[in-house]
Amino acid sequence: MQVNLRHNDNIIILDIEGNLVGPNTIGLKNIIDNLIREADGEQVFLILNLERVQMMDSSGLGVIVAAYASIRRNMGRIVLLNIGGNIRSLIIMAKLVTIFDRYDTEAEALASFQTT
C-alpha cells in the first residue's frame, strides 16, 4: 500500500493505492495518527481518496472509523472520495453508510468543506 499526501489550503488529501487489508493498514493508521498529533488539538480536515484501493477488509475499515472518531473529537472532518463497489458494500454491511460523507469527485469533496 502507498499513500501520497497532498494539501489544498487547510484540507489534507490522502491518495491511497493498494489493498487496505490486515497488516497493510498499519501504515495508513500511523500517517493519520501523525497528522492528528501534528495538529496539536486543532481541527483536521481530511479527504481519503480510495480510487486506487482494490480491496478493504475490517482492518481497513477499523482504521477509517478510528480516524473518524479521533478527528471528530477535535471538531474536524473526514470524508471519503471515490469509493468503489466493494468498499461501498463493506460500509453498507457494517451499517456505517450514514456516518461517512462520500463524494465521487475531488471538487465535490473539497467544496463540502466550504459549506460546513
Side-chain angles (χ1 to χ4, degrees):
M1 180 194 66
Q2 294 180 333
V3 179
N4 179 46
L5 187 142
R6 301 183 282 131
H7 287 87
N8 187 306
D9 292 326
N10 65 333
I11 302 166
I12 302 165
I13 304 165
L14 296 182
D15 297 308
I16 305 165
E17 186 173 347
N19 294 325
L20 275 175
V21 295
N24 288 352
T25 62
I26 294 170
L28 179 61
K29 179 185 181 330
N30 290 338
I31 290 168
I32 294 171
D33 287 348
N34 286 336
L35 290 171
I36 293 168
R37 191 173 24 263
E38 288 171 3
D40 197 27
E42 296 293 319
Q43 292 176 315
V44 172
F45 300 113
L46 182 63
I47 297 174
L48 295 182
N49 182 0
L50 303 172
E51 181 176 26
R52 293 192 171 144
V53 174
Q54 293 83 29
M55 185 186 326
M56 183 167 68
D57 66 4
S58 60
S59 298
L61 189 57
V63 167
I64 294 172
V65 169
Y68 172 86
S70 295
I71 289 171
R72 293 289 297 177
R73 265 194 293 279
N74 292 319
M75 304 305 291
R77 188 156 170 256
I78 181 172
V79 303
L80 305 181
L81 174 62
N82 295 319
I83 62 171
N86 293 335
I87 297 170
R88 187 182 316 270
S89 295
L90 179 62
I91 291 171
I92 290 169
M93 287 187 327
K95 300 186 188 304
L96 297 170
V97 71
T98 59
I99 292 175
F100 294 110
D101 292 327
R102 300 162 319 280
Y103 298 95
D104 293 327
T105 70
E106 188 170 308
E108 291 172 333
L110 290 167
S112 76
F113 287 93
Q114 305 306 315
T115 60
T116 58

